[in-house]
Amino acid sequence: MTIADIAGSADLAARLAALLATVPDPEIPVVSVVDLGIVRSIETAGAPRVTITPTYTGCPATLAIEASIRACLDDAGLGAVEIRTELYPPWTTDMISDAGREKLSAYGIAPPPKDAASRTLRAFEVVLCPRCNSANTLEISRFGSTPCKALWQCGDCAEPFDKFKCH
């Protein structure tokens, strides 16, 4: 069976979704590109296409993400699936799935709260330490290990941790 035989079918859409859920984010390997909401859409009507949106317009991992998706699709015999990058509408932290938020926290990164993108960027919010769950936390630096994260520290366990910036 070729991709042309299953193009437009629910089977192809489900297969693509399952494959993409296995592609890790290159900067945070415990979450997939689906968990982070980088995969914007999967289209199977006509020419099959996966649309992605990077977390930041200038995200340095965008090319690595696209290459990982391409390799995954090629390995599955789906080389004819187009990968399109769209910057508009921009990605927001509201696109991170519930499973993605849980995985980020388990990995030691404080995930943004749901609906954070609808509030101001510097709104006062409680940030829980992903290590001990304490609310006694403080932003140390607006700049973290990657452009999409800020550096925070817990006042109770004294551990530093990254927090995903809300936008």
Side-chain angles (χ1 to χ4, degrees), residues 26-165:
E27 294 175 338
I28 312 168
V30 297
V31 290
S32 75
V33 293
V34 172
D35 291 328
L36 282 180
I38 292 170
V39 175
R40 175 65 54 97
S41 66
I42 297 171
E43 300 166 44
T44 59
R49 177 176 50 236
V50 171
T51 302
I52 62 174
T53 299
T55 57
Y56 279 85
T57 302
C59 176
T62 302
L63 292 176
I65 290 168
E66 187 172 336
S68 294
I69 291 171
R70 175 83 280 142
C72 177
L73 296 176
D74 289 351
D75 290 348
L78 299 171
V81 175
E82 176 189 0
I83 301 169
R84 176 181 290 170
T85 299
E86 290 184 1
L87 302 178
Y88 186 84
W91 179 91
T92 73
T93 52
D94 288 343
M95 295 175 178
I96 301 172
S97 70
D98 290 340
R101 290 172 200 283
E102 290 173 16
K103 290 174 185 177
L104 286 169
S105 185
Y107 191 62
I109 298 172
K114 282 188 149 192
D115 301 322
S118 63
R119 297 184 288 233
T120 63
L121 292 177
R122 296 291 293 178
F124 294 101
E125 64 180 285
V126 175
V127 175
L128 298 178
C129 173
R131 300 195 191 337
C132 73
N133 215 31
S134 170
N136 180 17
T137 60
L138 176 68
E139 183 178 68
I140 301 301
S141 173
R142 196 69 189 135
F143 304 99
S145 61
T146 63
C148 57
K149 295 187 290 269
L151 181 62
W152 283 64
Q153 186 172 25
C154 179
D156 289 338
C157 72
E159 287 293 321
F161 62 91
D162 277 334
K163 179 194 174 288
F164 226 100
K165 292 178 187 174

